[in-house]
Amino acid sequence: MAKQELQFWFEFASTYSYLSAMRVQEVADKAGVSVSWHPFWLGPIFKSQGWDSSPFNLFPVKGQYMWRDMARICKARGLPLVHPDPFPQNGILAARTALLALRDPAGPEFCRAVYAAEFGEGKTISDPDLIRALLERCGLSPALVDEAGTEPAKAALKDKVAKAMELGIFGAPSFVVGDELFWGDDRLEQAIAHAVGV
């Protein structure tokens, strides 16, 4: 019997996606659920909602709460947390590269490496040299950065955004199981339970 699939939709600029990226594979593996990784870009989705930046910037009180919340959760999970500057980071290059990297089994490792560099070390993930270094560290070709600048790679990310909108995704992280959508790192366990029929 084939494993039920959990679609993991994430944005590299998203703080809570960082939390999920660092645990989704382990949680799913324990439950016997397969994970498909779907990097996308929230910019056009936010724009369709009338926002020109992260809601955590547009609503300062919400942003202050988010960083305190992240600090608590990261401490509890043993994850480093650095507030990247600027925030949100431009994750377009990382997302295009990740779509290419995910053709390889090491793709998820690369995605985690991007998050660790961004939110664990405060590095700038729009830097092509950083992305090349992370690819090499994961055993992937640094030439994927160059391929990420091609028209097919740009179109692939646009297609992901369109698919996310079609699925009703409005934020990250999001998890899709069958026809059900779950939003937020705190909904991962619910999504897994739905996948296994609990």
Side-chain angles (χ1 to χ4, degrees):
M1 181 178 172
K3 285 184 178 181
Q4 176 65 278
E5 181 185 84
L6 174 86
Q7 295 180 26
F8 171 40
W9 290 77
F10 58 97
E11 225 275 18
F12 280 114
S14 161
T15 48
Y16 290 103
S17 289
Y18 165 49
L19 297 178
S20 292
M22 304 315 260
R23 74 191 190 104
V24 63
Q25 198 72 56
E26 181 181 0
V27 173
D29 286 347
K30 284 181 179 176
V33 173
S34 66
V35 181
S36 59
W37 291 62
H38 299 271
F40 71 113
W41 179 30
L42 271 172
I45 294 174
F46 282 170
K47 189 167 285 188
S48 73
Q49 297 173 30
W51 297 344
D52 59 4
S53 182
S54 164
F56 296 125
N57 286 346
L58 296 172
F59 308 103
V61 172
K62 189 172 187 176
Q64 290 167 11
Y65 173 82
M66 180 273 290
W67 287 112
R68 185 70 194 105
D69 191 43
M70 285 291 298
R72 286 191 296 256
I73 297 171
C74 286
K75 183 178 180 182
R77 296 184 187 175
L79 289 173
L81 178 65
V82 176
H83 187 152
D85 185 23
F87 176 80
Q89 291 272 306
N90 182 336
I92 295 175
L93 174 63
R96 288 177 184 161
T97 305
L99 284 170
L100 299 169
L102 285 162
R103 300 179 301 195
D104 186 280
E109 181 186 353
F110 167 73
C111 294
R112 288 189 291 267
V114 172
Y115 278 116
E118 179 184 14
F119 292 112
E121 302 174 46
K123 293 185 176 176
T124 302
I125 60 168
S126 58
D127 178 2
D129 290 336
L130 172 66
I131 299 299
R132 286 189 185 94
L134 297 177
L135 286 164
E136 285 191 290
R137 189 186 304 170
C138 297
L140 295 163
S141 171
L144 290 181
V145 172
D146 301 312
E147 189 179 346
T150 65
E151 288 307 314
K154 293 177 181 179
L157 182 57
K158 288 178 181 176
D159 288 346
K160 275 292 180 188
V161 173
K163 181 62 177 177
M165 295 178 83
E166 181 185 318
L167 290 169
I169 291 173
F170 55 87
S174 288
F175 310 99
V176 177
V177 180
D179 294 328
E180 288 290 329
L181 172 65
F182 301 83
W183 171 56
D185 176 68
D186 57 347
R187 294 295 183 268
L188 173 56
E189 282 76 13
Q190 281 190 11
I192 292 288
H194 185 75
V196 297
V198 173

